[in-house]
């Protein structure tokens, strides 16, 4: 027969939920996997796999690429990949990861994501339609998107870019890049306004 010491049992520090338990394992993650988890948290609860594939060449992506850390995080149960999306398995995981990033690093993530995606759209355009997104209507940015059931257009990519920069605070954009950012914001704003009419 066992004797239970209820005072000791009640004083044990345990997680109230699976999400809290998972968050407590952050210290065991490899640096590149943790970096990927932090990068994903900057997108909120989910993002397109295609957007991550584009970011694979950016300075915010893990050095060895995005695919392996994403697979590791999926295997560990932090995220799931389905239907062309990468999703956090619980909103508390995303929230804790995001809040654990130091403010300056968080801003840097958002600025780097935004500028990289914005410049990807800008440099993919021909000179004839460089001043407007009208030439990009319906144009697929990544042809493989169709197989995933996801459509990443230049419009949606530019919207994601401006969202990230706006989230960080445009004042953190280098002076030399502010004009481009203002143009991107204007184009996205015009598009959203046209949808409301």
């Amino acid at each position: 027969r066992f004797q239970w010491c209820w005072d000791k049992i009640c004083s044990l520090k345990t997680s109230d939920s699976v999400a809290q338990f998972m968050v407590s394992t952050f210290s065991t993650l490899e640096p590149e996997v943790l970096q990927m988890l932090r990068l994903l948290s900057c997108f909120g609860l989910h993002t397109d796999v295609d957007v991550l594939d584009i970011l694979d060449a950016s300075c915010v992506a893990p050095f060895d690429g995005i695919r392996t850390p994403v697979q590791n995080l999926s295997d560990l149960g932090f995220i799931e990949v389905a239907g062309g999306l990468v999703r956090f398995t619980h909103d508390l995981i995303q929230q804790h990861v995001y809040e654990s990033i130091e403010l300056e690093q968080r801003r840097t993530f958002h600025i780097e994501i935004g500028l990289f995606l914005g410049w990807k759209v800008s440099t993919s355009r021909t000179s004839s339609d460089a001043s407007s997104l009208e030439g990009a209507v319906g144009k697929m940015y990544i042809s493989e998107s169709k197989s995933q059931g996801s459509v990443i257009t230049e419009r949606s990519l530019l919207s994601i870019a401006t969202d990230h920069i706006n989230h960080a605070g445009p004042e953190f954009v280098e002076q030399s890049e502010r004009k481009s950012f203002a143009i991107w914001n204007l184009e996205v704003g015009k598009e959203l306004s046209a949808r409301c009419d």
Side-chain angles (χ1 to χ4, degrees), residues 55-90:
L55 284 174
D56 203 10
S58 74
C59 65
V60 293
F63 181 73
D64 289 335
I66 283 178
R67 290 292 178 166
T68 301
V70 165
Q71 184 60 52
N72 290 345
L73 289 168
S74 179
D75 292 344
L76 293 168
F78 287 102
I79 61 171
E80 60 184 11
V81 182
L85 291 176
V86 175
R87 290 184 176 104
F88 277 89
T89 54
H90 199 288

Side-chain angles (χ1 to χ4, degrees), residues 139-182:
K139 178 180 172 185
M140 293 299 295
Y141 188 78
I142 302 175
S143 59
E144 294 86 2
S145 299
K146 289 181 180 178
S147 66
Q148 299 272 339
S150 168
V151 177
I152 299 295
T153 62
E154 287 185 344
R155 287 179 186 268
S156 60
L157 218 57
L158 198 58
S159 179
I160 293 168
T162 56
D163 281 349
H164 277 278
I165 295 170
N166 284 326
H167 193 78
E171 65 272 17
F172 295 101
V173 175
E174 295 291 326
Q175 191 68 36
S176 61
E177 295 171 324
R178 287 185 183 179
K179 182 178 178 183
S180 296
F181 170 65

